[in-house]
Amino acid sequence: MRIYIVKRLLQAVPTLLVISFLIFSILYLTPGDPVLLMIGSSETDSVDPAVYEAVRRDLGLDKPFFVRYVDYIGNAVRGNLGRSYLTNKEVFPTVMARMPATLQLTLTALLVAVLIAIPLGVLAALKQGSIWDNIATFMATIGVSLPRFWFGIILIIFFSLRLKWLPSFGIGDPSRGIVVVLKHLLLPALALGTSLAAMLTRMTRSSMIDVLNQDYVRVARAKGLKERIVVYIHALKNALIPVVTVLGTQFGALLGGAVVTETIFAWPGVGRLAVNSIARRDFPMIQGNTLIICTGFILVNLIVDILYGVLDPRITYKKK
């Protein structure tokens, strides 16, 4: 297992290099002069040439493209992702300061999706062809079809503006109690987790139907075991393997979806930071933000691979 983890981490290095090169190249070709952004001017003619060149050298923009890229990678390895063009603050601490809010939202959305999808998918599989199966399939289809931003707006209109039950923006202050935190968290988590819940419901249903038809499930029933034990101990554990795969791969999608969700609900996470950085052409912040999110996505996929062995002991990680 240890060798497998080390190998996967080493395989992540070229992936991150390719991602960083693509991000660096795209932003390099993007219109706009970061020097003018730093100075706070919109036209080159209105800036003192000496000041312009000094700022350009300070940002390293006078160097060739590949030299700048190599310098960027060397600094990134040491944890230095540069400084924001707007605030002059270091990128890495700024992004990491926003990360807890995004993780709070993303993990809660995952929890909401699992709490909805697993029971609904199991029920649909056990009652295949019944009205419960049709209801679960219908809800899953609707959930996949709804755009997250539209659903988020509907939640705000209904629960915040009309019923006035829940706040429509911001993050709850922990010093005011857990209830305040949950009230602020509920709507964005529902908006972000609904489409994933729909996808997981369909995945759980199809996986459970396949597992329930396996020989070892029939043997367990023939031995006289209670249906609850057969379903939740023998069948569900093996049926969760493809579900865990979807959860891992969709974690990155949730982070991407959090960009829109955080903007709608004014959630102070890395998604909203990315939107603001793009709008203001803050290139170092965009690069660092994207690189950190991609690194997290790779680590989550590694954790998912390790969980396979926990869910199914037949899965082993042998040295090739």
Side-chain angles (χ1 to χ4, degrees):
M1 175 68 75
R2 186 179 301 174
I3 296 176
Y4 173 79
I5 294 175
V6 172
K7 184 184 295 185
R8 283 295 305 271
L9 291 174
L10 292 177
Q11 290 174 350
V13 173
T15 303
L16 289 174
L17 285 175
V18 172
I19 292 172
S20 65
F21 182 78
L22 290 175
I23 297 170
F24 198 88
S25 301
I26 292 173
L27 293 179
Y28 182 81
L29 299 174
T30 302
D33 193 338
V35 176
L36 297 179
L37 183 66
M38 286 285 292
I39 297 175
S41 176
S42 58
E43 297 181 359
T44 308
D45 296 338
S46 61
V47 179
D48 186 349
V51 174
Y52 183 89
E53 289 300 325
V55 175
R56 183 177 174 82
R57 286 193 302 270
D58 184 59
L59 295 177
L61 298 177
D62 58 327
K63 300 178 182 178
F65 170 78
F66 285 103
V67 175
R68 290 171 53 196
Y69 175 70
V70 172
D71 291 341
Y72 176 76
I73 294 300
N75 292 328
V77 172
R78 295 190 294 269
N80 179 15
L81 297 178
R83 290 182 174 273
S84 169
Y85 288 164
L86 294 173
T87 63
N88 201 33
K89 294 181 179 179
E90 293 186 6
V91 170
F92 184 75
T94 302
V95 176
M96 295 309 295
R98 297 285 194 106
M99 188 61 71
T102 295
L103 289 177
Q104 181 185 16
L105 175 58
T106 304
L107 293 176
T108 306
L110 282 175
L111 179 62
V112 168
V114 169
L115 291 178
I116 295 175
I118 301 301
L120 199 58
V122 171
L123 179 63
L126 294 176
K127 306 291 184 180
Q128 187 179 1
S130 68
I131 186 173
W132 297 107
D133 187 14
N134 294 331
I135 291 175
T137 303
F138 175 76
M139 293 178 61
T141 303
I142 294 297
V144 171
S145 304
L146 291 178
R148 288 172 182 165
F149 71 90
W150 182 87
F151 188 57
I153 294 173
I154 294 299
L155 290 176
I156 291 175
I157 294 174
F158 187 75
F159 288 102
S160 296
L161 300 182
R162 290 193 177 182
L163 298 179
K164 301 186 183 301
W165 287 355
L166 299 170
S168 61
F169 64 92
I171 188 171
D173 185 0
S175 63
R176 298 178 59 187
I178 187 66
V179 175
V180 175
V181 174
L182 291 177
K183 282 185 175 181
H184 283 81
L185 184 59
L186 185 57
L187 290 186
L190 281 174
L192 190 59
T194 301
S195 60
L196 178 58
M199 185 183 303
L200 287 179
T201 299
R202 298 170 65 179
M203 179 65 68
T204 303
R205 177 187 178 276
S206 61
S207 183
M208 277 294 295
I209 290 175
D210 181 64
V211 170
L212 288 172
N213 292 323
Q214 298 295 320
D215 291 337
Y216 65 87
V217 175
R218 295 192 183 98
V219 171
R221 283 172 171 162
K223 288 181 178 180
L225 294 178
K226 294 181 179 180
E227 185 67 13
R228 181 177 65 256
I229 296 176
V230 173
V231 172
Y232 293 103
I233 302 299
H234 293 276
L236 183 58
K237 185 177 180 180
N238 291 303
L240 284 179
I241 293 178
V243 176
V244 170
T245 303
V246 174
L247 279 174
T249 55
Q250 287 297 310
F251 181 81
L254 285 180
L255 289 177
V259 172
V260 178
T261 305
E262 288 181 3
T263 303
I264 293 174
F265 291 93
W267 192 265
V270 295
R272 193 177 179 202
L273 177 64
V275 172
N276 293 335
S277 301
I278 292 172
R280 301 177 181 181
R281 300 181 182 277
D282 193 351
F283 297 156
M285 192 64 70
I286 300 171
Q287 291 170 342
N289 203 341
T290 308
L291 194 61
I292 290 174
I293 290 176
C294 291
T295 303
F297 183 67
I298 291 173
L299 291 177
V300 168
N301 279 287
L302 174 59
I303 294 173
V304 169
D305 287 346
I306 295 173
L307 284 177
Y308 288 162
V310 177
L311 293 172
D312 191 347
R314 295 173 298 177
I315 298 176
T316 57
Y317 303 97
K318 296 180 180 180
K319 181 179 180 181
K320 295 182 179 180

